[in-house]
Amino acid sequence: MAFQILLNFFIAVVWMFMTSSLTPSTFVIGYIIGLLLIIMTRRFFPGRLYIWRLWSALKLTAIFLRELVLSNISVLLLVIKPDLSSIQPMIFALPTELEQDWEITLLSSLITLTPGTIVIHVSDDQRTLYIHAIDVDDVDEAINSIKNTFEKAIMEVSRG
């Protein structure tokens, strides 16, 4: 993937020098030409095209922003109208399928940055995250929600 990105930038810079125009618009045109060349020669590159991983990263960002807004609203409602009899704080274990350190760190960071949840511990074998949530009605629903949003999106980014 990194090779494809560098090759695309190199083609864009070569295009700028060939046209004798060092403007941003010339770079963008060269970048698009380089992308088209990489798409046409994709069978010579191992793995998928880097564009798909970038698209997956954008989807992960959109998922995080949506969850951030929804969590902020729910925490705001808890703060404005505190009904301590209905709030159910809970610590639960989230088994994860992520393998690499950076994937687990990213998942932990996204969970912690979402208001109302925090990762308090990662098991020694890095297969389980222990999460504290401010208000959980159903543990299985919370686990499935995290697995179907953040974990799934991270796996798309890392594994193509």
Side-chain angles (χ1 to χ4, degrees), residues 74 77-90 133-138:
S74 66
L77 291 175
L78 286 174
V79 170
I80 290 175
K81 296 180 183 178
D83 184 16
L84 297 179
S85 62
S86 68
I87 296 176
Q88 296 177 341
M90 193 171 296
I134 196 168
D135 189 19
V136 176
D137 294 328
D138 184 18

Side-chain angles (χ1 to χ4, degrees), residues 122-137:
V122 177
S123 65
D124 292 335
D125 64 352
Q126 295 185 345
R127 292 286 178 207
T128 306
L129 294 144
Y130 295 95
I131 300 170
H132 177 272
I134 196 168
D135 189 19
V136 176
D137 294 328

Side-chain angles (χ1 to χ4, degrees), residues 12-27 29:
V13 170
V14 167
W15 179 259
M16 288 173 61
F17 287 125
M18 285 177 53
T19 59
S20 299
S21 174
L22 301 177
T23 63
S25 62
T26 308
F27 179 80
I29 291 169

Side-chain angles (χ1 to χ4, degrees), residues 33-106:
I33 290 170
L35 183 60
L36 291 174
L37 288 173
I38 289 173
I39 289 171
M40 289 189 309
T41 59
R42 68 181 174 267
R43 65 180 175 168
F44 298 111
F45 298 110
R48 295 180 66 186
L49 290 175
Y50 77 93
I51 287 297
W52 300 118
R53 285 199 181 180
L54 289 178
W55 178 250
S56 298
L58 287 174
K59 285 191 332 188
L60 175 62
T61 303
I63 288 169
F64 172 68
L65 291 176
R66 182 191 63 187
E67 291 294 323
L68 183 67
V69 169
L70 293 175
S71 296
N72 271 313
I73 291 170
S74 66
V75 170
L76 179 67
L77 291 175
L78 286 174
V79 170
I80 290 175
K81 296 180 183 178
D83 184 16
L84 297 179
S85 62
S86 68
I87 296 176
Q88 296 177 341
M90 193 171 296
I91 296 175
F92 59 93
L94 171 74
T96 183
E97 298 173 19
L98 301 176
E99 298 169 354
Q100 298 178 7
D101 289 342
W102 73 268
E103 294 173 334
I104 296 166
T105 302
L106 181 61

